Amino acid sequence: YTLLLIDLSASATASDQLLAITAAAREFLAALQRYQHLAVYAFDGSKNLYEIVPFTRSGPQALQTLEALHSFETKDPSTNLNGAVLAALSELDKAVGRASTPLRFGSLVVFTDGTDRANRVPYQQMIDAVEASVHDVYALGVGHEIDDSTLARIGKSGYVRGEDSSASRNAFQEIAERIVRLTRRYYLLSYCSPAHA
């Protein structure tokens, strides 16, 4: 299960970044659709997340629904990064908890171009939740507003930083490759004994 969390605060939607972000997210989903249940959520400065694509196994359906990003309207221009990470981890917990498969793994991929400005959730509370989570958490940062130390703390499983939105494509590809490698590392071996007793 992979949840992609995208920063759609005013700094992203008020510029030309949205098209590049959507294109990069589409390629990210396409690379993972064979291996993962995928979901896309967005955040701005508001308290709650916005569900763009609910968890689905259908790659084409996820890619089609992703077009909703083009018409997304920011409701709160601030950035609730800390609260969004907490909420996304909770959504991922719920999805993985409902799975019936014997092997279940969750990955949260956080894309942001800025630091938390909404101040709804303390930074340390968010970091504690990331570190306590059983899921892999990756961070993708674009621009100069967010620093490497914050990205490294959020992206405990790895992070990538780009200078501008044009670098988001390569960043998404790098994280997708890491998740695919992780997924393909595990095998389920079943054995049925012929002995009736």
Side-chain angles (χ1 to χ4, degrees):
Y1 286 77
T2 294
L3 189 154
L4 174 59
L5 180 63
I6 301 178
D7 183 350
L8 291 182
S9 55
S11 57
T13 57
S15 68
D16 61 349
Q17 292 187 60
L18 195 53
L19 288 175
I21 292 168
T22 304
R26 186 181 297 109
E27 289 185 20
F28 176 83
L29 295 178
L32 292 178
Q33 67 183 357
R34 286 181 51 208
Y35 308 98
Q36 302 275 321
H37 288 83
L38 303 167
V40 180
Y41 284 77
F43 70 96
D44 54 13
S46 304
K47 182 179 179 181
N48 299 319
L49 297 178
Y50 302 98
E51 182 183 84
I52 306 298
V53 180
F55 271 105
T56 177
R57 186 70 177 171
S58 168
Q61 179 187 342
L63 296 176
Q64 186 176 8
T65 313
L66 192 60
E67 296 303 319
L69 285 178
H70 289 302
S71 57
F72 183 86
E73 292 183 12
T74 302
K75 310 218 175 12
D76 184 328
S78 190
T79 305
N80 183 23
L81 176 60
N82 298 346
V85 170
L86 274 184
L89 285 171
S90 176
E91 290 295 329
L92 190 54
D93 283 337
K94 285 186 233 174
V96 172
R98 287 192 299 263
S100 59
T101 53
L103 294 178
R104 294 171 285 180
F105 306 99
S107 298
L108 172 62
V109 180
V110 182
F111 175 85
T112 185
D113 71 343
T115 56
D116 187 284
R117 301 281 184 208
N119 201 29
R120 295 180 186 277
V121 173
Y123 172 77
Q124 194 58 48
Q125 183 182 345
M126 181 268 292
I127 292 300
D128 289 345
V130 167
E131 291 175 352
S133 176
V134 297
H135 307 303
D136 291 311
V137 183
Y138 301 91
L140 291 87
V142 172
H144 302 287
E145 188 179 324
I146 191 163
D147 57 82
D148 282 67
S149 62
T150 302
L151 282 174
R153 295 293 302 277
I154 295 172
K156 67 175 183 177
S157 308
Y159 78 94
V160 179
R161 181 175 175 180
E163 294 301 314
D164 52 38
S165 59
S166 63
S168 60
R169 181 179 178 189
N170 290 337
F172 271 113
Q173 284 178 341
E174 185 175 332
I175 296 297
E177 287 168 8
R178 289 187 195 184
I179 293 172
V180 169
R181 283 197 303 269
L182 176 70
T183 304
R184 296 173 74 178
R185 246 175 34 185
Y186 295 95
Y187 296 86
L188 177 63
L189 175 65
S190 298
Y191 171 72
C192 182
S193 169
H196 289 282

